[in-house]
Amino acid sequence: MTKTSAGRFFEDYAVGDLITHAVPRTIKMGERALYHALYPARHALHSADTFAQACGLPFSPLDDLVTFHTVFGKTVPDVSLNAVANLGYAEGRWITPLWPGDTITATSEVIGVKQNSNGKSGVVWVRTTGRNQHGEALLTYVRWVMVRRRGDGPVPATVVPELADSVSPDDLVIPRGLDFTHYDFALAGEPHRLGDYRVGEIIDHVDGVTIEEAEHMLATRLWQNTAKVHFDATHRPDGKRLIYGGHVISLARALSFNGLANAQLIVALNGGAHANPCFAGDTVRAWSEVLDTAPTVAPGVGAIRLRLVATKGSAGQLRDAEGRYLPDVLLDLDYWALMPA
C-alpha cells in the first residue's frame, strides 16, 4: 500500500467538502524574531509590549501576516500542492489577535469548482478558517487556485461562488481594548493620522529589497508551505524556484512602513492578485493608494482601506491601456488597516 501522497488534483474536490488540515502549530516569540529578520517589519504595535499596552492591549500581538502565513501554510498540502497558480483572495477578516503561545489549526471548505476550457486544470475556491487552541477564529478568507487535473476521468459539476467586492467597514473586528486616544506618534515613527490621508492619494514607499534564494526558501519553510514550485528547481521548465506570494506580501507590507507607519493592524483582506511571478534576484518596491477611510467604534481608532502594490517598476504604474497588469507588477492587494483617527 502506498504511504505517500501526491496531493489532491482538480477531480478530488467537490463543493461542500470540509478539509481538516494537518499539523497544528504553536507560535512563540521565535516566530517574531524570524519574521523581523526576514522582512523590514517595524510597526510599533507588533514590536513592543509597552507600546501595545499603551494602546489598550495586554501585550504585543504577533504580526497579522504571521497568522496569515501560518494558516495558509497549513492548507498547501490539501489545496495547492498541485496548483498552477494562486489566483486571488476575497472576504478575508482577522478576528482574534495571535498571541505568543497560541496554537493554530486550520480547516477549509470547498465552495466552488470550475474546469478550465483546456481540460488540463480547473479552479477551486475554498474558504479557510484558522483557529486558536480555544476554538476561536483567528482569521478567515476565501482564495481560489488553479489546480492540475490528474487525468481524463469525471470532473465535479461547476459551481462559481458569489463573493463580496470588499469587506464592509461595519464588519471589521477591532481587537478588544484597542484605544488610540493616547497614541504616541513619536514612538510609532510618523505623525500622520487618518485625517491626513485623502482618497486617491498615492504613497511611494521609496525603499526596495532584493530577494535572495535562501531567504525566500527559509521563509516558506518557516510557514510549513510545501508547494513544489518554491523549492524544486526541476518543477518549472525554466529551472527557477517561484517566490511564495506571501513572501512578496510581507515584503511590501513591511516596506509600507515608510509613509504608513501608523497603519498598525491589518483587519481585512478585500481582494488580491499575484499579477506576475517573482524570482530570486528581483528587487521589490512598494506603493500604496488610499481607497477609502471609515470611523470605528473603538476610541481614537479609524480604518483606512489601501491598495498595496509590489512592483519592480515605478510607483503609481499598475495596468496598460488594455487593462492588463504591467509586467513589473508582482502584487495588487486591497486591505483594511487600523490607525489613529
Side-chain angles (χ1 to χ4, degrees), residues 59-139:
F59 36 84
S60 177
L62 274 295
D63 285 70
D64 309 300
L65 290 174
V66 172
T67 308
F68 174 81
H69 294 315
T70 306
V71 171
F72 187 101
K74 300 293 102 192
T75 71
V76 168
D78 298 308
V79 175
S80 50
L81 194 65
N82 292 304
V84 179
N86 189 46
L87 298 177
Y89 308 96
E91 298 184 358
R93 292 193 306 149
W94 279 257
I95 298 169
T96 304
L98 178 65
W99 306 108
D102 280 350
T103 296
I104 295 178
T105 57
T107 58
S108 293
E109 180 185 0
V110 180
I111 61 172
V113 289
K114 181 179 184 294
Q115 182 178 225
N116 289 330
S117 58
N118 62 14
K120 298 178 180 179
S121 61
V123 179
V124 178
W125 287 261
V126 297
R127 186 182 303 277
T128 295
T129 302
R131 299 183 183 275
N132 63 20
Q133 67 276 19
H134 307 296
E136 299 167 326
L138 297 165
L139 167 69

Side-chain angles (χ1 to χ4, degrees), residues 14-339:
V15 171
D17 286 352
L18 184 64
I19 304 168
T20 299
H21 303 297
V23 192
R25 179 77 176 268
T26 300
I27 305 296
K28 296 190 177 180
M29 291 301 289
E31 265 80 5
R32 172 173 293 164
L34 279 168
Y35 189 88
H36 286 209
L38 289 163
Y39 311 108
R42 292 183 286 157
H43 287 88
L45 200 73
H46 294 304
S47 297
D49 286 346
T50 52
F51 190 92
Q53 287 160 356
C55 295
L57 301 181
F59 36 84
S60 177
L62 274 295
D63 285 70
D64 309 300
L65 290 174
V66 172
T67 308
F68 174 81
H69 294 315
T70 306
V71 171
F72 187 101
K74 300 293 102 192
T75 71
V76 168
D78 298 308
V79 175
S80 50
L81 194 65
N82 292 304
V84 179
N86 189 46
L87 298 177
Y89 308 96
E91 298 184 358
R93 292 193 306 149
W94 279 257
I95 298 169
T96 304
L98 178 65
W99 306 108
D102 280 350
T103 296
I104 295 178
T105 57
T107 58
S108 293
E109 180 185 0
V110 180
I111 61 172
V113 289
K114 181 179 184 294
Q115 182 178 225
N116 289 330
S117 58
N118 62 14
K120 298 178 180 179
S121 61
V123 179
V124 178
W125 287 261
V126 297
R127 186 182 303 277
T128 295
T129 302
R131 299 183 183 275
N132 63 20
Q133 67 276 19
H134 307 296
E136 299 167 326
L138 297 165
L139 167 69
T140 181
Y141 63 91
V142 172
R143 73 165 169 138
W144 49 105
V145 186
M146 188 186 302
V147 181
R148 293 180 177 85
R149 286 195 59 189
R150 177 185 290 105
D152 298 323
V155 298
T158 296
V159 175
V160 178
E162 293 186 11
L163 300 171
D165 291 334
S166 65
V167 176
S168 167
D170 294 336
D171 292 330
L172 302 179
V173 179
I174 313 300
R176 186 180 302 119
L178 188 68
D179 183 341
F180 283 164
T181 55
H182 303 292
Y183 188 92
D184 192 323
F185 289 88
L187 290 179
E190 289 180 349
H192 317 303
R193 59 174 73 239
L194 188 66
D196 297 324
Y197 295 88
R198 68 183 187 278
V199 173
E201 180 178 359
I202 300 293
I203 304 162
D204 182 355
H205 300 303
V206 179
D207 304 306
V209 173
T210 302
I211 294 181
E212 304 293 345
E213 201 80 84
E215 68 184 18
H216 93 81
M217 289 192 291
L218 174 63
T220 311
R221 289 191 184 103
L222 174 64
W223 317 123
Q224 298 178 323
N225 182 332
T226 58
K228 299 179 180 70
V229 291
H230 304 317
F231 302 105
D232 185 348
T234 69
H235 201 67
R236 289 174 53 94
D238 58 12
K240 294 182 178 180
R241 299 173 183 89
L242 185 68
I243 305 297
Y244 163 46
H247 190 66
V248 178
I249 292 174
S250 276
L251 278 177
R253 161 67 174 165
L255 290 169
S256 76
F257 178 90
N258 190 354
L260 286 166
N262 297 315
Q264 292 287 354
L265 294 160
I266 300 175
V267 286
L269 178 58
N270 299 303
H274 298 289
N276 288 288
C278 183
F279 300 102
D282 289 345
T283 297
V284 177
R285 304 183 187 279
W287 58 272
S288 293
E289 179 186 0
V290 179
L291 300 178
D292 200 0
T293 61
T296 78
V297 297
V301 179
I304 185 167
R305 183 179 174 186
L306 298 160
R307 159 176 273 153
L308 175 63
V309 177
T311 182
K312 297 181 288 181
S314 302
Q317 303 300 308
L318 186 66
R319 298 180 185 272
D320 63 18
E322 285 74 42
R324 295 170 300 200
Y325 283 114
L326 295 170
D328 282 344
V329 173
L330 303 172
L331 170 74
D332 181 9
L333 198 73
D334 177 344
Y335 71 101
W336 283 100
L338 301 180
M339 65 163 42

